[in-house]
Amino acid sequence: MLLSAGALVPVALMLAAALLPQFVGQPVARLWRAFLVLSGGAFVATALAVLMGPARLQLPAVLQVSSLGLWMAVLVQLLGTVIGGFSARYLQGEPGQRRYVAALAGVLASVHVLLMANHWVVLIAAWALVGIVLQQLLCFYPDRAFAQLAAHKKRIADRVADVLLLVAAALAWRDVGSGSLSDLWAHLARDGMSTSLQVSALALVLAVILRTALLPVHGWLIQVMEAPTPVSALLHAGVVNLGGFVLILFAPLLAHALPARVLLLVFGLGTAVLAGMVMLTRISIKVRLAWSTVAQMGFMLLECGLGLYTLAALHLIGHSLYKAHAFLSASNAVRHTRLLALRGPAAPAALSLVLAPVLTLSVVLLVQAVFDHTAWPWWWSAVLALAWAPLLWLPTAESAGWRALGSQAAFGLLTVAGLSGMAVLAHGLPLGVQDAPSAPAMGLAALLGMAALYLFLAGLQMRPQALKTWRRWSYAGFYVDEAYTRLALQLWPTHWAGDTRKNGELPAPLPRVAEAPQA
């Protein structure tokens, strides 16, 4: 009976870790040790639940443990443990550590509940609680005005998303007669889609777009970089990704909702392309990572819109691990960037910019032929080729030498082959996800968007001065966030720490070193 509720153990432990510091007066160091012990216990319990399998677990009807949910729980707990240990050192001497520990544990507990949600009410409540508790971490330094502004903008997006989720739940509940997600899947298999369920899917997708920081409501994710670095790691590696998990969870609904998938295609592709352009113009490491997350979330939602749920799940897991490492090792990235700057930039040869997509596409198709397994449609192979083509951007032989040129080309080809092979083999993992590829027209639209992004990158390498105006707009984020900020403060004025203005106007600029576009 110990494992009969194995998946509930992590939730109970995380809630205990969240509540204990509020009532027990103990030194800060002991609080951190208690958190790490409870976190490790939650990880072990969740891992045992994975090994036993969902069929051996006995849960209430409102909770259900899927294969993907179990593996995501292990991933979240592992990242939470690492971030907690890093935070103990990072915040040493800070007066608000007790509040920080409680909020961190509360976020992890809420995420665990969301991963097991099998009812609309549980899903909506858990996701709302994640945002509410996360606000305490984002505003850990109350005197940082831009973090306060970012938290306010996120709060607005979250509340609108909550309303949309309630609309989606109400419409689905009316048709199905129950708020259970299992009943919804059974209803779809038996009776198919209705107009109410189509609208429900649209409301769900809009809520995910708001919660996942896609354009045009992405600005808070960039401005919240003033929060502690471990909070940024938690946010980018474990919280923003939840939108992708929810879409994969609702794959049976999205498979029959073409308007909702088109909406994901438009917002996902637009965000991936525009945010990818902006990221290239930024200098600050954390800001570039934040824009990278926006672009990756757009790409992940694009995969869901195209019905490639297995790739979206793998993307979610890989992005979580990568972003947690990237933020926690940001100081090393700064050192590495300075070392590269000492060597001087080596511009890629024009011929490699043209041949790189052709070579990567050939490698991807060859790997699929070797494994005799078509894991995705042909147009997605072309998208992957464009995404991985920069790995084969090579400098001229005069600047690098033939030996170095050959080594770099071999490494790039092996990397593309390895990535393709892992993507194909990963489709055999027991994730419990079933793909439903969209019509070729949507795939071709995604391919054209990625081709436009690649042309911009290639043009930036070959003739950077010709794109000077475009780069200036790109550096400014195409002024999308400014419009959203004005609208948000007009609809919901607020005041924050250190703000002496009225009517929700922007705070005075903070003293800091401004970034400048690269020459």
Side-chain angles (χ1 to χ4, degrees):
M1 297 299 294
L2 179 62
L3 292 176
S4 61
L8 294 179
V9 175
V11 180
L13 290 175
M14 287 297 97
L15 288 174
L19 297 176
L20 185 62
Q22 301 296 326
F23 301 104
V24 179
Q26 53 183 326
V28 171
R30 292 181 61 191
L31 284 178
W32 281 113
R33 285 196 295 270
F35 169 79
L36 292 177
V37 169
L38 292 174
S39 184
F43 172 74
V44 172
T46 310
L48 289 175
V50 172
L51 295 176
M52 293 299 295
R56 298 288 298 275
L57 302 179
Q58 299 175 6
L59 298 175
V62 295
L63 299 176
Q64 186 177 45
V65 185
S66 63
S67 297
L68 180 61
L70 282 171
W71 288 111
M72 285 298 302
V74 172
L75 175 65
V76 168
Q77 199 55 58
L78 176 62
L79 294 176
T81 303
V82 173
I83 291 171
F86 184 90
S87 300
R89 299 186 301 274
Y90 185 89
L91 297 175
Q92 186 175 3
E94 292 284 352
Q97 285 197 59
R98 180 175 298 183
R99 172 170 50 90
Y100 183 95
V101 173
L104 178 59
V107 169
L108 294 177
S110 304
V111 171
H112 274 295
V113 175
L114 189 149
L115 295 176
M116 295 187 297
N118 190 40
H119 197 281
W120 279 103
V121 174
V122 176
L123 176 71
I124 296 171
W127 212 353
L129 188 59
V130 170
I132 292 172
V133 181
L134 185 64
Q135 293 281 332
Q136 305 300 317
L137 297 176
L138 301 181
C139 302
F140 181 75
Y141 299 118
D143 58 334
R144 298 187 178 181
F146 277 102
Q148 298 282 335
L149 173 62
H152 176 67
K153 291 159 65 176
K154 183 182 186 303
R155 189 182 303 113
I156 295 176
D158 286 353
R159 297 294 77 80
V160 176
D162 290 339
V163 173
L164 289 170
L165 287 174
L166 289 172
V167 171
L171 292 172
W173 204 320
R174 187 185 67 176
D175 264 26
V176 178
S178 166
S180 170
L181 299 184
S182 297
D183 291 345
L184 174 59
W185 315 148
H187 176 85
L188 289 169
R190 183 180 61 253
D191 301 325
M193 289 289 286
S194 63
T195 302
S196 296
L197 290 179
Q198 292 283 359
V199 178
S200 176
L202 281 172
L204 173 70
V205 165
L206 287 173
V208 170
I209 290 172
L210 291 172
R211 283 281 173 80
T212 317
L214 265 61
L215 271 70
V217 294
H218 64 288
W220 66 265
L221 190 63
I222 312 300
Q223 295 162 349
V224 83
M225 289 296 99
E226 293 186 344
T229 295
V231 174
S232 299
L234 175 70
L235 177 63
H236 290 257
V239 175
V240 178
N241 290 334
L242 292 175
F245 174 81
V246 170
L247 290 179
I248 297 172
L249 176 66
F250 281 87
L253 177 65
L254 296 176
H256 305 283
L258 181 60
R261 295 173 73 165
V262 171
L263 195 63
L264 284 174
L265 171 68
V266 172
F267 277 90
L269 181 60
T271 299
V273 172
L274 295 179
M277 294 178 180
V278 175
M279 181 187 67
L280 296 173
T281 64
R282 295 307 178 106
I283 299 173
S284 168
I285 298 298
K286 289 184 67 175
V287 173
R288 289 191 68 172
L289 288 174
W291 276 105
S292 169
T293 296
V294 175
Q296 293 292 334
M297 291 303 100
F299 201 75
M300 187 183 303
L301 265 61
L302 172 64
E303 292 168 330
C304 293
L306 296 174
L308 305 176
Y309 300 111
T310 303
L311 285 172
L314 297 174
H315 190 174
L316 193 158
I317 296 172
H319 180 262
S320 297
L321 294 172
Y322 161 69
K323 274 297 160 60
H325 174 267
F327 273 101
L328 298 183
S329 62
S331 59
N332 294 331
V334 173
R335 189 178 303 111
H336 179 67
T337 302
R338 288 177 177 175
L339 291 176
L340 291 178
L342 293 176
R343 304 174 189 173
L351 183 61
S352 72
L353 297 176
V354 177
L355 293 181
V358 179
L359 292 175
T360 50
L361 179 59
S362 301
V363 172
V364 172
L365 295 177
L366 178 62
V367 170
Q368 286 188 295
V370 169
F371 285 98
D372 193 22
H373 178 63
T374 305
W376 50 76
W378 67 268
W379 39 262
W380 191 255
S381 296
V383 171
L384 292 179
L386 291 172
W388 294 336
L391 293 172
L392 291 176
W393 285 359
L394 305 175
T396 59
E398 291 78 8
S399 61
W402 286 104
R403 184 174 180 179
L405 197 65
S407 299
Q408 187 173 345
F411 176 78
L413 290 172
L414 289 176
T415 302
V416 173
L419 291 172
S420 304
M422 287 189 294
V424 172
L425 293 176
H427 277 70
L429 293 176
L431 297 178
V433 178
Q434 185 175 0
D435 291 341
S438 62
M442 293 181 63
L444 290 175
L447 178 57
L448 289 176
M450 293 302 297
L453 178 58
Y454 184 82
L455 290 176
F456 173 80
L457 296 178
L460 198 62
Q461 298 296 324
M462 297 175 62
R463 301 185 62 186
Q465 296 303 323
L467 298 174
K468 186 176 181 180
T469 302
W470 185 260
R471 289 185 62 177
R472 186 164 56 248
W473 276 72
S474 181
Y475 176 80
F478 302 99
Y479 301 100
V480 176
D481 180 57
E482 283 74 6
Y484 170 67
T485 301
R486 292 189 182 93
L487 177 62
L489 293 178
Q490 286 177 0
L491 297 178
W492 194 344
T494 187
H495 302 280
W496 45 77
D499 180 23
T500 58
R501 305 184 183 194
K502 298 181 180 180
N503 299 325
E505 295 180 1
L506 289 174
L510 296 177
R512 61 177 181 175
V513 179
E515 290 186 324
Q518 298 173 343

